[in-house]
Amino acid sequence: MLKNLYLHRYFQFSLKVFYYTKEISRWAKCQDDVFSFVPTMGALHAGHLSLVENARALRKPVLVSIFLNPAQFNNAEDLKKYPQTLAQDLSLLSRTGADAVYLPVTHDLYPEGLAEVVLDLGILDKVFEGLQRPGYFKGVVKVLHRLFSVLNPADVFFGQKDLQQCLVVEKLIAAYFPNIRQHNIPTQRDSQTGLALSSRNLRLSDEGLLKAGYINKALKMAAEMSSTEKAYNMLTNKGIDVEYLERVTLPDLQTADPDSPHKAVVFAGYVEGVRLIDNLLLH
Ligand code: PAF
């Protein structure tokens, strides 16, 4: 009982929680705009916490936002099924040493008449995630442009699991926020299967999690060969419905030129009806 009381107090006093743009921009100003920012959609796992830990390493205050951004879901069912674990998220953030959490209220973050962000994403909006999830990157650009404008952080942190998103954010920052430093943090993986940690994994059964572990093996296999065919077949034999598995060049995600120094293998597919993405950077 005493221990619970203590934890409750610790949680209340160490982590500040904000809801409205006015109050969070006041907090940001109080930090002289020198703070690190980790935007999330909640359902936090060790991958998110590693972003917070990397942010903490800069020794500046760390702000985390949790906002299930409706603008980036083109599928209402997908939005409805997205896991929401706010109480647990706050407790994890408090223990990881975040300083403040921003939980935007939709009508305040997106007031009526908010101007549309003009940003040419080039090929990024037309291939892989851009092609498979129409409007997705427009929604990501909308929320990040608004968050960065309200907050004006010095450093922002993203997970490399969402490789194409990292490339989109690079374009957004280059066009509108040249003073923000972007940090892309390596993917956290399950220590046994190599499965990339993702909020969507919460929707998989134990069997599904084991099956999904083959995605990492397939990426490694594809990385070692000039063709992805064998890896693709391995995944379909395991019952994974592959949407794409390809070797590409960076940063334009074109079909890999073997002489290009920057390459990756990218994957998207379904396990038990849950859409998962992953990638491996090749050096
Ligand atoms: O990667 C995510 O969780 C989201 O796309 C982001 C960057 C928080 C924007 O809603």
Side-chain angles (χ1 to χ4, degrees):
M1 176 68 187
L2 209 60
K3 195 173 157 207
N4 282 347
L5 200 67
Y6 170 75
L7 279 178
H8 180 66
R9 286 173 59 121
Y10 170 76
F11 168 69
Q12 272 207 330
F13 291 117
S14 60
L15 188 68
K16 296 186 182 69
V17 181
F18 299 95
Y19 299 90
Y20 289 95
T21 46
K22 246 191 190 157
E23 48 182 12
I24 193 60
S25 49
R26 204 176 307 131
W27 178 88
K29 287 268 165 326
C30 284
Q31 318 307 314
D32 292 325
D33 294 328
V34 182
F35 64 93
S36 299
F37 176 46
V38 181
T40 81
M41 296 204 297
L44 304 183
H45 50 67
H48 297 107
L49 300 185
S50 106
L51 303 186
V52 175
E53 276 152 14
N54 276 276
R56 284 193 67 201
L58 296 188
R59 297 180 180 281
K60 297 171 191 164
V62 177
L63 170 69
V64 179
S65 66
I66 299 178
F67 180 59
L68 194 46
N69 176 30
Q72 69 191 75
F73 285 82
N74 61 352
N75 179 336
E77 210 38 44
D78 200 21
L79 173 61
K80 218 160 63 188
K81 284 189 189 152
Y82 203 88
Q84 296 191 54
T85 55
L86 184 60
Q88 186 185 310
D89 292 351
L90 294 177
S91 151
L92 284 172
L93 289 176
S94 176
R95 279 185 272 146
T96 314
D99 296 275
V101 181
Y102 174 34
L103 307 174
V105 175
T106 308
H107 69 82
D108 179 58
L109 189 68
Y110 293 152
E112 242 174 75
L114 184 70
E116 201 174 304
V117 183
V118 179
L119 181 66
D120 180 9
L121 293 179
I123 192 82
L124 291 179
D125 209 20
K126 297 175 187 68
V127 294
F128 303 113
E129 294 308 289
L131 182 69
Q132 301 295 339
R133 301 165 77 184
Y136 170 66
F137 287 128
K138 205 169 166 206
V140 169
V141 163
K142 176 178 176 175
V143 74
L144 293 178
H145 183 278
R146 181 74 176 126
L147 289 168
F148 293 170
S149 303
V150 169
L151 301 169
N152 192 26
D155 294 84
V156 291
F157 291 77
F158 292 88
Q160 254 167 30
K161 185 178 82 67
D162 296 300
L163 177 64
Q164 198 167 347
Q165 174 170 271
C166 290
L167 300 170
V168 165
V169 179
E170 276 166 22
K171 280 195 183 269
L172 173 68
I173 288 182
Y176 286 100
F177 307 97
N179 295 330
I180 296 182
R181 267 182 309 270
Q182 176 179 351
H183 305 257
N184 299 332
I185 306 302
T187 305
Q188 297 293 304
R189 297 182 178 281
D190 178 82
S191 56
Q192 310 225 304
T193 64
L195 173 64
L197 300 189
S198 162
S199 307
R200 289 167 191 264
N201 296 352
L202 290 174
R203 289 168 54 197
L204 296 176
S205 68
D206 287 348
E207 198 190 328
L209 286 169
L210 279 180
K211 211 186 253 189
Y214 284 95
I215 295 168
N216 187 238
K217 294 181 184 68
L219 287 170
K220 285 185 177 156
M221 193 187 260
E224 280 161 16
M225 296 178 175
S226 55
S227 150
T228 57
E229 196 183 336
K230 259 198 165 156
Y232 187 103
N233 290 340
M234 191 257 282
L235 288 177
T236 45
N237 287 339
K238 296 289 173 194
I240 296 175
D241 185 6
V242 182
E243 202 168 72
Y244 58 75
L245 176 69
E246 278 191 46
R247 291 169 65 96
V248 293
T249 53
L250 295 174
D252 52 358
L253 299 182
Q254 295 297 292
T255 304
D257 160 6
D259 298 329
S260 163
H262 303 293
K263 293 188 284 282
V265 188
V266 292
F267 163 88
Y270 288 84
V271 177
E272 294 179 336
V274 179
R275 188 171 187 276
L276 302 174
I277 62 170
D278 198 357
N279 65 80
L280 211 58
L281 298 182
L282 312 180
H283 302 288

mmCIF file of all heavy atoms in Angstrom, residues 206-224:
data_model
loop_
_atom_site.group_PDB
_atom_site.id
_atom_site.type_symbol
_atom_site.label_atom_id
_atom_site.label_comp_id
_atom_site.label_asym_id
_atom_site.label_seq_id
_atom_site.Cartn_x
_atom_site.Cartn_y
_atom_site.Cartn_z
ATOM 1 N N ASP A 206 0.461 -15.856 -29.898
ATOM 2 C CA ASP A 206 1.819 -16.388 -29.712
ATOM 3 C C ASP A 206 2.311 -17.043 -31.004
ATOM 4 O O ASP A 206 3.473 -16.899 -31.395
ATOM 5 C CB ASP A 206 1.835 -17.416 -28.572
ATOM 6 C CG ASP A 206 1.702 -16.726 -27.222
ATOM 7 O OD1 ASP A 206 1.834 -15.479 -27.184
ATOM 8 O OD2 ASP A 206 1.445 -17.421 -26.219
ATOM 9 N N GLU A 207 1.396 -17.740 -31.658
ATOM 10 C CA GLU A 207 1.764 -18.406 -32.915
ATOM 11 C C GLU A 207 2.113 -17.361 -33.985
ATOM 12 O O GLU A 207 3.089 -17.501 -34.732
ATOM 13 C CB GLU A 207 0.574 -19.253 -33.375
ATOM 14 C CG GLU A 207 0.930 -20.316 -34.389
ATOM 15 C CD GLU A 207 -0.334 -20.943 -34.960
ATOM 16 O OE1 GLU A 207 -1.339 -21.034 -34.211
ATOM 17 O OE2 GLU A 207 -0.313 -21.315 -36.137
ATOM 18 N N GLY A 208 1.305 -16.295 -34.021
ATOM 19 C CA GLY A 208 1.542 -15.205 -34.978
ATOM 20 C C GLY A 208 2.892 -14.543 -34.740
ATOM 21 O O GLY A 208 3.606 -14.202 -35.689
ATOM 22 N N LEU A 209 3.250 -14.392 -33.468
ATOM 23 C CA LEU A 209 4.533 -13.756 -33.140
ATOM 24 C C LEU A 209 5.689 -14.612 -33.643
ATOM 25 O O LEU A 209 6.685 -14.099 -34.183
ATOM 26 C CB LEU A 209 4.648 -13.548 -31.625
ATOM 27 C CG LEU A 209 3.796 -12.412 -31.047
ATOM 28 C CD1 LEU A 209 3.770 -12.473 -29.523
ATOM 29 C CD2 LEU A 209 4.323 -11.052 -31.509
ATOM 30 N N LEU A 210 5.545 -15.938 -33.485
ATOM 31 C CA LEU A 210 6.603 -16.840 -33.961
ATOM 32 C C LEU A 210 6.722 -16.763 -35.479
ATOM 33 O O LEU A 210 7.819 -16.691 -36.039
ATOM 34 C CB LEU A 210 6.295 -18.279 -33.545
ATOM 35 C CG LEU A 210 6.660 -18.660 -32.111
ATOM 36 C CD1 LEU A 210 6.297 -20.113 -31.832
ATOM 37 C CD2 LEU A 210 8.169 -18.436 -31.864
ATOM 38 N N LYS A 211 5.565 -16.776 -36.126
ATOM 39 C CA LYS A 211 5.523 -16.689 -37.586
ATOM 40 C C LYS A 211 6.192 -15.389 -38.047
ATOM 41 O O LYS A 211 7.020 -15.374 -38.964
ATOM 42 C CB LYS A 211 4.048 -16.676 -37.999
ATOM 43 C CG LYS A 211 3.755 -17.305 -39.322
ATOM 44 C CD LYS A 211 2.311 -17.089 -39.669
ATOM 45 C CE LYS A 211 1.508 -18.368 -39.536
ATOM 46 N NZ LYS A 211 0.142 -18.193 -40.093
ATOM 47 N N ALA A 212 5.831 -14.278 -37.382
ATOM 48 C CA ALA A 212 6.350 -12.967 -37.768
ATOM 49 C C ALA A 212 7.869 -12.892 -37.582
ATOM 50 O O ALA A 212 8.545 -12.077 -38.214
ATOM 51 C CB ALA A 212 5.654 -11.872 -36.964
ATOM 52 N N GLY A 213 8.407 -13.770 -36.719
ATOM 53 C CA GLY A 213 9.856 -13.818 -36.511
ATOM 54 C C GLY A 213 10.606 -14.153 -37.795
ATOM 55 O O GLY A 213 11.793 -13.843 -37.933
ATOM 56 N N TYR A 214 9.912 -14.796 -38.769
ATOM 57 C CA TYR A 214 10.584 -15.151 -40.025
ATOM 58 C C TYR A 214 10.849 -13.930 -40.907
ATOM 59 O O TYR A 214 11.628 -13.986 -41.846
ATOM 60 C CB TYR A 214 9.773 -16.201 -40.794
ATOM 61 C CG TYR A 214 9.938 -17.573 -40.172
ATOM 62 C CD1 TYR A 214 9.017 -18.051 -39.254
ATOM 63 C CD2 TYR A 214 11.049 -18.355 -40.470
ATOM 64 C CE1 TYR A 214 9.181 -19.286 -38.644
ATOM 65 C CE2 TYR A 214 11.228 -19.587 -39.875
ATOM 66 C CZ TYR A 214 10.293 -20.049 -38.957
ATOM 67 O OH TYR A 214 10.478 -21.264 -38.364
ATOM 68 N N ILE A 215 10.188 -12.819 -40.589
ATOM 69 C CA ILE A 215 10.382 -11.614 -41.418
ATOM 70 C C ILE A 215 11.843 -11.173 -41.351
ATOM 71 O O ILE A 215 12.484 -10.879 -42.359
ATOM 72 C CB ILE A 215 9.441 -10.476 -40.950
ATOM 73 C CG1 ILE A 215 7.988 -10.875 -41.179
ATOM 74 C CG2 ILE A 215 9.770 -9.163 -41.654
ATOM 75 C CD1 ILE A 215 6.966 -9.963 -40.503
ATOM 76 N N ASN A 216 12.385 -11.154 -40.135
ATOM 77 C CA ASN A 216 13.783 -10.738 -39.970
ATOM 78 C C ASN A 216 14.737 -11.708 -40.687
ATOM 79 O O ASN A 216 15.713 -11.286 -41.320
ATOM 80 C CB ASN A 216 14.106 -10.643 -38.482
ATOM 81 C CG ASN A 216 15.486 -10.064 -38.237
ATOM 82 O OD1 ASN A 216 16.331 -10.683 -37.611
ATOM 83 N ND2 ASN A 216 15.736 -8.892 -38.764
ATOM 84 N N LYS A 217 14.421 -13.013 -40.611
ATOM 85 C CA LYS A 217 15.268 -14.000 -41.303
ATOM 86 C C LYS A 217 15.214 -13.759 -42.808
ATOM 87 O O LYS A 217 16.227 -13.843 -43.501
ATOM 88 C CB LYS A 217 14.782 -15.422 -40.977
ATOM 89 C CG LYS A 217 14.973 -15.776 -39.512
ATOM 90 C CD LYS A 217 14.511 -17.206 -39.198
ATOM 91 C CE LYS A 217 14.633 -17.489 -37.709
ATOM 92 N NZ LYS A 217 13.695 -16.733 -36.864
ATOM 93 N N ALA A 218 14.020 -13.443 -43.308
ATOM 94 C CA ALA A 218 13.871 -13.207 -44.751
ATOM 95 C C ALA A 218 14.652 -11.958 -45.179
ATOM 96 O O ALA A 218 15.288 -11.946 -46.239
ATOM 97 C CB ALA A 218 12.392 -13.036 -45.093
ATOM 98 N N LEU A 219 14.624 -10.927 -44.345
ATOM 99 C CA LEU A 219 15.368 -9.697 -44.684
ATOM 100 C C LEU A 219 16.857 -10.004 -44.781
ATOM 101 O O LEU A 219 17.551 -9.549 -45.694
ATOM 102 C CB LEU A 219 15.116 -8.614 -43.626
ATOM 103 C CG LEU A 219 13.738 -7.944 -43.643
ATOM 104 C CD1 LEU A 219 13.542 -7.073 -42.406
ATOM 105 C CD2 LEU A 219 13.562 -7.103 -44.910
ATOM 106 N N LYS A 220 17.343 -10.810 -43.814
ATOM 107 C CA LYS A 220 18.781 -11.148 -43.820
ATOM 108 C C LYS A 220 19.127 -11.983 -45.049
ATOM 109 O O LYS A 220 20.168 -11.801 -45.673
ATOM 110 C CB LYS A 220 19.127 -11.921 -42.550
ATOM 111 C CG LYS A 220 19.178 -11.032 -41.317
ATOM 112 C CD LYS A 220 19.628 -11.841 -40.142
ATOM 113 C CE LYS A 220 19.772 -11.002 -38.892
ATOM 114 N NZ LYS A 220 19.658 -11.798 -37.689
ATOM 115 N N MET A 221 18.220 -12.914 -45.369
ATOM 116 C CA MET A 221 18.438 -13.776 -46.530
ATOM 117 C C MET A 221 18.485 -12.925 -47.805
ATOM 118 O O MET A 221 19.369 -13.063 -48.648
ATOM 119 C CB MET A 221 17.264 -14.759 -46.610
ATOM 120 C CG MET A 221 17.442 -15.914 -47.533
ATOM 121 S SD MET A 221 15.878 -16.827 -47.633
ATOM 122 C CE MET A 221 16.174 -18.148 -46.546
ATOM 123 N N ALA A 222 17.535 -11.994 -47.912
ATOM 124 C CA ALA A 222 17.461 -11.130 -49.099
ATOM 125 C C ALA A 222 18.682 -10.216 -49.184
ATOM 126 O O ALA A 222 19.134 -9.875 -50.280
ATOM 127 C CB ALA A 222 16.185 -10.296 -49.065
ATOM 128 N N ALA A 223 19.221 -9.856 -48.008
ATOM 129 C CA ALA A 223 20.381 -8.962 -47.988
ATOM 130 C C ALA A 223 21.608 -9.664 -48.568
ATOM 131 O O ALA A 223 22.488 -9.026 -49.149
ATOM 132 C CB ALA A 223 20.660 -8.511 -46.553
ATOM 133 N N GLU A 224 21.650 -10.993 -48.406
ATOM 134 C CA GLU A 224 22.841 -11.724 -48.850
ATOM 135 C C GLU A 224 22.770 -12.171 -50.300
ATOM 136 O O GLU A 224 23.738 -12.682 -50.838
ATOM 137 C CB GLU A 224 23.021 -12.964 -47.952
ATOM 138 C CG GLU A 224 23.663 -12.600 -46.632
ATOM 139 C CD GLU A 224 23.439 -13.662 -45.583
ATOM 140 O OE1 GLU A 224 23.066 -14.793 -45.941
ATOM 141 O OE2 GLU A 224 23.626 -13.323 -44.392
#
